[in-house]
């Protein structure tokens, strides 16, 4: 573990810490990134995103209009 390598393959397969690393780091917190703290987990899932209002409450869009370039359209049969 001092080489920060575990040969069980769970990290490379699932991108989650394996039980071997968690057991080894249980009391050695300097090896665990702050990303894995409860505080970071809560910040990732806090209510920072609000749902969109009902469609009746939307304001009219006044920005630029984006249209497809018809000169690049392919005419004819598909596959």
């Amino acid at each position: 573990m001092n080489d920060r390598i575990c040969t069980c393959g769970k990290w490379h397969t699932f991108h989650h810490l394996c039980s071997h690393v968690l057991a080894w780091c249980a009391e050695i917190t300097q090896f665990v990134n702050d990303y894995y703290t409860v505080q970071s987990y809560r910040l990732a899932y806090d209510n920072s995103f609000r749902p969109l209002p009902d469609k009746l409450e939307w304001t009219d869009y006044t920005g630029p209009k984006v249209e497809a370039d018809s000169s690049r359209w392919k005419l004819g049969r598909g596959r």
Side-chain angles (χ1 to χ4, degrees):
M1 288 295 168
N2 289 332
D3 295 330
R4 297 182 182 182
I5 296 172
C6 184
T7 57
C8 76
K10 288 184 181 178
W11 171 253
H12 294 291
T13 305
F14 303 112
H15 301 283
H16 292 286
L17 290 176
C18 65
S19 58
H20 312 108
V21 173
L22 291 174
W24 186 74
C25 293
E27 296 183 22
I28 308 173
T29 57
Q30 70 265 20
F31 291 108
V32 180
N33 192 303
D34 288 339
Y35 174 81
Y36 296 105
T37 62
V38 173
Q39 180 182 6
S40 293
Y41 180 83
R42 287 182 179 159
L43 286 173
Y45 291 99
D46 80 0
N47 294 324
S48 59
F49 296 99
R50 292 176 286 158
L52 290 172
D54 187 72
K55 192 171 182 176
L56 297 173
E57 299 176 36
W58 292 2
T59 58
D60 290 334
Y61 178 72
T62 58
K65 184 175 180 180
V66 179
E67 295 182 3
D69 182 2
S70 61
S71 67
R72 294 183 171 255
W73 292 355
K74 291 183 180 178
L75 301 176
R77 293 183 56 185
R79 294 183 177 198

